Amino acid sequence: MFIFPLIFIISFVVALREVYRGKGDGIFIFLIFGLSMYTTAMSVTFLLGLKAIIPAFQFFKEVMVLCVLTLNVMSLRQRPKFHLIDYLIFAFLGYTFLYVILPIGEHGFLKRLLAFKSTSFYIVAYFTGRLFDPKAIYINKYFNYIALLTIGAGAVLTVEVLMQQQLQLYTGFAEYCYYFFNIEPNGSFGLTTTFESEGGIVGLPAFMQTRLNWQRLPCLL
């Protein structure tokens, strides 16, 4: 199981090295390999008894986005042309910031500031992509990475189907969610209702459900 947090850490280090070298598209390495298995990596880390370092892992995405945004801004050769959507996002950012400086609600300034950080992260991520130069991205390389990840995901899915059990049963997912988010495990399989179909049936991929339906067909006839 340690392979998931290991891939998460390696993808962050490799992506950060690429960004340090001036290659902003290195963030896609982290997006493809790191964030695709983010929850599994966090739950396995918790299962291994390393819950103290999970908060640091949770900031990897913010660090990566801020580094790439800084690189993109420094690489600008001329003032970018903003469009209507950009101005609307700026307006939304200013609107949400009002809730930080105005004494509205029962929460203190620090909690309002933390809430603003969470809300503004998506805006920062938007402008990080907005300021990318599409010509500087070698997209075929990342398509190959996605294909490689798809093969790995297919292998994991095949094992899940053969065992009739989800991977999350063994990653400490339920314990991780309860400890950090106070979400108690529910559903017929002790995870969440996301992992089961209607009627309490274990969640299976579409092709497996189709095969089961064909097996029931003679009984229905």
Side-chain angles (χ1 to χ4, degrees), residues 204-215:
L204 295 172
F207 74 87
M208 189 63 181
Q209 292 283 6
T210 303
R211 183 174 69 84
L212 292 177
N213 290 337
W214 276 106
Q215 289 177 345

Side-chain angles (χ1 to χ4, degrees), residues 188-189 192-204 209 213 216:
S188 302
F189 305 97
T192 66
T193 53
T194 305
F195 292 92
E196 63 185 53
S197 304
E198 293 183 6
I201 301 175
V202 62
L204 295 172
Q209 292 283 6
N213 290 337
R216 297 170 185 168

